[in-house]
Amino acid sequence: MPALHDIIREGRLIAGHRPWPRAMVSARQWQLAAAEAADGRLTLSGLWGDAGVVHMALLDEESGAAAVLSLECPEGRFPSVGRLHPPAIRLERALRDIHGLEPVDCPDPRPWIDHGAGAPYPFLTAEGDSLHQIAVGPVHAGIIEPGHFRFTANGETVVRLEERLGYVHRGIEKLMRGAMLEQGAKLAERVSGDSTVAYALAFARAVEAALELEPPPRALYIRGLMAELERLANHLGDIGAICNDASFAMMHAHCGILRERVLRAADGCFGHRLMRDCIRPGGVVKDIDGAGLALLEALVKDIRSYFPALVKLYDNTASLQDRTVTTGILKPALARQYGAGGYVGRASGRAFDVRRNIAYPPYDELEFDVPSLSDGDVNARVWIRIREVEQSLSLIEQMMARLPAGPVITTLPRCAGEGMSLVEGFRGDVLIWLRLGDDGRIARCHLRDPSWFQWPLLEAVIEGNIVADFPLCNKSFNCSYAGHDL
Amino acid sequence: MLKFLLQGLTRPPLTEAPPAPEDAELAALAARLQAAARRRLGRSLSIREVDAGSCNACELEIHALNNAYYDVERFGLRFVASPRHADVLLVTGPVTNNMRQALERTYNATPNPKWVVAVGDCAIDGGCFAGSAVVEGGVSKIIPVDIHIPGCPPPPLETLKGLLTLLEQM
Ligand code: SF4
């Protein structure tokens, strides 16, 4: 624990950064911090560029402490973190493409987000007998997001998978610059549509941290309800979709029904199936009424009576288990090294959940388990999600029972400040960092999807598996393309 | 598993559940859609979905068209895996620079006659992402679009209505 503390103390503390400290550090301290992350004493949670400065967010998982280190790069260069700590490599490549800052000695000189004018991309090679390549994407066979996968296979067995992402890069961080808060919230909600609530919440919390403001208690609980509904919808949909990728369509059909019911309940309560435009800095703009609460109560009851039979079906179908058990194993050491969030980390022994480890309201007042397993296979990831469905149902009930009365939004002061937030989305921890100017506009906003630390692991997980199991592994990770590409 | 199979046989389909206003609307749409699809395309319309820079919410709602509530396959609307099998391209997103070429290629790979449906606000004119230097700002800037379906994301029923309008125009 003292490590993070000491590094911060040696640096120059920046006033007005909340809720965690931010310090300007020297290149030596910067590298020291990178070495700490490489040794596993700290978790790298983000790395992003600013005007002539790079920032690195670090977590001390044991104590729940977090901090941001900043390094000036007057010549547009900074010492690579990826050189010591591979999880930083893609972040640095993106930083180079988007901000023009050069990570000196970064092991991978290739561009990442910037695809240039159609120049061929030098994929990594694999050597050996009888290898062939399979190129997939960016346009895939299903209704999914675009990305390119380059497999090198020996017969059926994957020897190497390399991902190429960036196809859905929309330049969100640049659009954020100078935006008003309302526009910023809209953009944040559209970073990764499946995590609309998580992003809206993370954005609101970062703004509230910067402005030193706490929303009314009722708003906190309504946000919690929305967040758990989003988690439910995604988990239910994905459990079915994973089974579908093992050609077990019946689970898919039934889980799809449950997902649809969650979306309809969300629509009934908050006026939008994905709960867009509901959470704003200062609180929420959609209150819940008696009819809404009745809808939620019925929904929880419905899922409680429907879901257990589906879980049994999953557990008792040998042909399905044959596909998911021991497929796509993520080793706990890798999950730890990459700070993999969400069910990807928790199925591989990294029992980290922001709602528990760096608790924010209303979760600090609620009871729930953070399920974790250590098998790390597709099956373990499915089970984590099954358990989390149960936890979310219980959380919704607790929040409904305790829902405070009162207003749901406060007005915001117009002042400058810096804020950071970490929020547990269904996929893992979303980090948002922002700086507000005196005029109340966003000077800079960085949004880091949990997928950044999950995508690289998918490459490791598929190694030695058969090509036909890739969809299964991929769906069990369900990384966001849009969230990653920004 | 047997229990589920039996239930599937004995229980009424969800789509014919007691007519909440929305379900009634769905049923009426279904009838029109089926008639139109049959008249114009024999029995089926093959759809290829292309994400050209979406936030993925449009995909989630297009996916929902396949669930038991909407079940578009019963009208002969089918999502296919290759543009070469498709009659219709359903395109989402503001078209990022990085997806432009892939979209053009997908369009060129689709046999004639073909139709393009732009789904979602950002497919229309870039939506929230309009003005970004790395997006083209709408599907119609790259390929000809026959119909636009607004919404962010359009709920499944709206997409269904849009497809119906297209069928009636064909
Ligand atoms: S229209 Fe809205 S929901 Fe659809 S891709 Fe664009 S931002 Fe996402």
Side-chain angles (χ1 to χ4, degrees), chain A residues 263-274:
Chain A
L263 298 186
R264 288 181 177 202
D267 191 23
C269 291
F270 304 114
H272 193 285
R273 286 161 59 89
L274 301 173

Side-chain angles (χ1 to χ4, degrees), chain A residues 13 112 210 237 333 350:
Chain A
L13 216 62
W112 182 239
R350 183 176 181 257

Side-chain angles (χ1 to χ4, degrees), chain B residues 84-107:
Chain B
R84 299 201 190 278
H85 305 158
D87 307 305
V88 170
L89 291 183
L90 211 56
V91 188
T92 64
V95 189
T96 57
N97 291 353
N98 290 350
M99 269 308 286
R100 182 191 174 130
Q101 190 188 42
L103 177 62
E104 284 168 344
R105 285 192 184 174
T106 308
Y107 181 77

Side-chain angles (χ1 to χ4, degrees), chain A residues 104-150:
Chain A
V104 178
D105 292 332
C106 176
D108 198 332
R110 297 171 300 167
W112 182 239
I113 295 292
D114 182 358
H115 288 194
Y121 182 77
F123 283 96
L124 300 176
T125 53
E127 283 173 17
D129 287 338
S130 319
L131 296 182
H132 65 281
Q133 285 203 345
I134 309 170
V136 181
V139 180
H140 297 279
I143 306 172
I144 52 169
E145 301 182 75
H148 183 88
F149 299 111
R150 184 65 60 96

Side-chain angles (χ1 to χ4, degrees), chain A residues 12-43:
Chain A
R12 179 167 55 82
L13 216 62
I14 302 291
H17 185 279
R18 286 174 285 263
W20 300 289
R22 173 163 92 84
M24 299 297 304
V25 296
S26 66
R28 193 190 60 83
Q29 290 163 324
W30 176 267
Q31 280 165 301
L32 206 80
E36 289 290 306
D39 285 345
R41 282 191 286 275
L42 295 174
T43 305

Side-chain angles (χ1 to χ4, degrees), chain A residues 190 276, chain B residues 54-58 93 119-122 129 151-153:
Chain A
R190 286 155 182 82
R276 284 251 156 101
Chain B
S54 136
C55 74
N56 81 27
C58 273
V119 179
D121 289 347
C122 51
F129 311 114
C152 187

